[in-house]
Every structure is written in structure tokens, then in C-alpha cells.
């Protein structure tokens, strides 16, 4: 895996303006891992995808994730800083798993980007959940008799949804926050796709502003300015004033 260059960031930012987060995530990984075919990237589990995005974020912008969260108890806005290493979780150990619940045996596989893409158009949460369950359920049996996903009781569906996260832990990344003002503590969900994209959006806009300033001062081409090291670009920017 290689870090994103200044040119990569501007290119992917421009392309991703009107794209869904599922596609943005895959485009970032395609840039970082050119040795992997699109089908290989699409079939990574969501946890494997998120692990790679965390690694790419670390290589490109460093290991410390900084952001803001609002305390649900007192409303204070607090700044947090989390190390990538502190939220890294293991990857799935197998391609498929079995689950026993209420006399049923379920065999399933972890979710991947193709599954998430399949529910993009579904506005209703229940429909999206059913679609994901139908896709990841490989087999359901009761006393040796096969059952369809539609025949499964709610208790089995809930257990399956829990098992999906349990066996692909990086698919749902959480960390703990404590409010400095009131002491309230809570577990917050961390979405690396939207977090990293928001950072890259800021970075791309700053890069284009730098291109604008240097092109105006020196008449240099955009491609040449983006190909410079950050140190050299910033030296010229300081010289321009
Ligand atoms: Zn608080």
C-alpha cells in the first residue's frame, strides 16, 4: 500500500464529488493498492476494507485521528484525538461462519462492499436489513430441513446481525469518550469512510488554493505544483507571502 500523493487527493476528490461513500471507499483503495483488481477490492469484508482505509489514512495523514463530538448529557463540544492503533481490530479468521440459535443452524459470510452497494437505493431501514440478511445468509436449517431467510424468526435475525459484527469487528468501529465538563462517558461509532473523506475534502481544497497562489505568482502549471514535495511548495508559498 502506498500513501496518497497530492495529485491523487485532488483527482479522487474531483471524481468523488457526486459519488456514494461505498464507491469513494473503493476508489481510495484502488489508488492505494493498484496491485488488487476491482473484484478483489469489492469482495473485501467491510472490516477488511475499513482496516485498509485506516492504514491508508495513517500513511497519508499520520496516525492520530482528531475530531469533534457533542456530549449527549450537557451539550459541550469536545475535541478528541484517537490513535489508529487504538481502534484497530482483528480481521475475520474465516470466509464463512456458523451460528446456533433457537434450534436453528445458520451459515453466513461477512458483508462486503457489493452488499452495501445493493442497499444504496433502499430508503427503508427494514428493507435494507432484509436485503443484507438474504445476501449474507448461505444456509439456514432446522432439524435438517432448509429454511429461507423470510422464514427465520426475529430472534434468529437479531443474533445473525450481532454475529456479523462479532466476526468482522472492524466493520463497526467504536471508541470510548468521556466529557471533560460533566464526566458523562459513552461509546461512539467511528466511520472511517466519512471521516477520511471529510479530511481529504479539506486537504484537496487547500491544495487547490496553493496551486492558485503559486500559478498566479509564478505562472507554473497545476501538474508541476502538485508534483512538488510539501516542503518545497510551502517554501514558495512563504516566499510569495
Ligand atoms: Zn458533558
Amino acid at each position: 500500500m502506498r500513501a496518497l500523493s497530492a495529485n491523487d487527493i485532488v483527482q479522487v476528490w474531483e471524481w468523488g464529488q457526486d459519488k456514494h461513500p461505498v464507491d469513494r471507499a473503493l476508489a481510495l483503495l484502488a489508488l492505494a493498492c493498484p496491485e488488487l483488481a476491482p473484484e478483489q477490492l469489492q469482495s473485501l469484508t467491510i472490516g477488511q476494507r475499513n482496516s485498509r482505509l485506516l492504514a491508508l489514512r495513517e500513511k497519508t495523514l499520520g496516525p492520530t485521528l482528531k475530531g469533534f463530538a457533542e456530549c449527549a448529557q450537557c451539550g459541550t463540544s469536545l475535541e478528541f484525538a484517537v490513535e489508529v492503533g487504538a481502534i484497530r481490530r482483528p480481521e475475520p479468521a474465516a470466509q464463512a461462519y456458523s451460528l446456533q440459535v433457537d434450534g436453528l443452524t445458520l451459515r453466513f459470510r461477512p458483508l462486503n462492499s457489493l452488499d452495501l452497494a445493493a442497499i444504496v437505493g433502499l430508503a427503508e431501514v427494514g428493507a435494507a436489513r432484509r436485503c443484507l440478511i438474504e445476501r449474507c445468509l448461505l444456509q439456514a436449517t432446522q432439524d435438517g430441513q432448509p429454511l429461507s431467510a423470510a422464514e427465520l424468526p426475529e430472534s434468529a435475525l437479531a443474533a445473525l446481525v450481532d454475529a456479523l459484527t462479532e466476526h468482522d469487528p472492524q466493520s463497526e468501529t467504536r471508541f470510548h469518550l468521556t466529557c471533560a465538563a460533566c464526566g458523562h462517558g459513552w461509546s461512539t461509532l467511528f466511520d472511517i469512510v466519512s471521516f477520511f473523506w471529510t479530511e481529504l475534502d479539506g486537504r484537496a481544497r487547500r491544495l487547490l488554493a496553493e496551486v492558485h497562489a503559486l500559478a498566479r505568482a509564478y505562472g507554473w502549471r497545476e501538474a508541476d505544483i502538485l508534483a512538488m514535495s510539501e516542503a518545497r511548495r510551502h517554501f514558495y508559498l512563504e516566499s510569495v507571502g
Side-chain angles (χ1 to χ4, degrees), residues 64-69 77-82 175 190 195 199:
T64 310
L65 309 164
K66 289 183 180 169
F68 289 92
S77 177
L78 57 121
E79 194 178 0
F80 66 81
V82 178
F175 58 85
F190 177 77
F195 183 88
E199 288 185 317

Side-chain angles (χ1 to χ4, degrees), residues 11-239:
Q11 296 282 348
V12 78
W13 169 82
E14 182 182 22
W15 172 88
Q17 289 302 302
D18 57 351
K19 301 296 190 298
H20 191 275
V22 174
D23 297 317
R24 290 174 176 174
L26 290 172
L28 290 171
L29 290 183
L31 278 171
C33 311
E35 72 280 7
L36 294 181
E39 305 78 53
Q40 289 175 295
L41 293 172
Q42 289 166 353
S43 59
L44 291 173
T45 72
I46 299 308
Q48 290 171 329
R49 180 200 72 171
N50 290 350
S51 291
R52 281 156 184 74
L53 286 172
L54 280 171
L56 179 60
R57 193 311 183 157
E58 185 171 18
K59 269 190 188 294
T60 305
L61 301 177
T64 310
L65 309 164
K66 289 183 180 169
F68 289 92
E70 191 172 289
C71 174
Q73 188 146 294
C74 75
T76 301
S77 177
L78 57 121
E79 194 178 0
F80 66 81
V82 178
E83 297 301 307
V84 168
I87 56 170
R88 196 167 272 142
R89 300 287 177 265
E91 295 206 352
Q95 301 210 332
Y97 295 90
S98 288
L99 169 69
Q100 312 278 339
V101 54
D102 296 344
L104 296 159
T105 302
L106 309 182
R107 187 147 179 81
F108 63 96
R109 60 162 178 82
L111 296 171
N112 60 39
S113 294
L114 291 172
D115 300 319
L116 295 192
I119 60 163
V120 164
L122 301 177
E124 201 236 323
V125 177
R129 184 171 180 260
R130 275 194 301 280
C131 176
L132 290 179
I133 285 171
E134 276 168 19
R135 290 179 66 94
C136 75
L137 185 68
L138 303 174
Q139 192 181 47
T141 52
Q142 187 169 34
D143 303 325
Q145 296 299 312
L147 292 176
S148 72
E151 294 172 297
L152 296 178
E154 176 53 35
S155 59
L157 299 180
L160 176 56
V161 169
D162 287 346
L164 283 169
T165 312
E166 182 195 330
H167 290 294
D168 192 18
Q170 196 82 68
S171 66
E172 194 181 288
T173 307
R174 291 182 169 275
F175 58 85
H176 199 80
L177 287 174
T178 304
C179 175
C182 76
H184 176 61
W186 73 97
S187 165
T188 188
L189 206 56
F190 177 77
D191 175 11
I192 180 61
V193 180
S194 68
F195 183 88
F196 193 22
W197 188 264
T198 301
E199 288 185 317
L200 291 175
D201 178 72
R203 182 58 68 110
R205 289 172 192 275
R206 200 153 64 247
L207 282 166
L208 290 177
E210 291 175 4
V211 167
H212 170 72
L214 292 179
R216 193 160 68 169
Y218 297 106
W220 294 334
R221 294 168 56 238
E222 181 192 58
D224 294 336
I225 296 169
L226 288 175
M228 284 176 194
S229 69
E230 190 166 307
R232 191 188 280 208
R233 213 168 46 240
H234 286 178
F235 174 84
Y236 289 127
L237 282 167
E238 280 171 26
S239 305

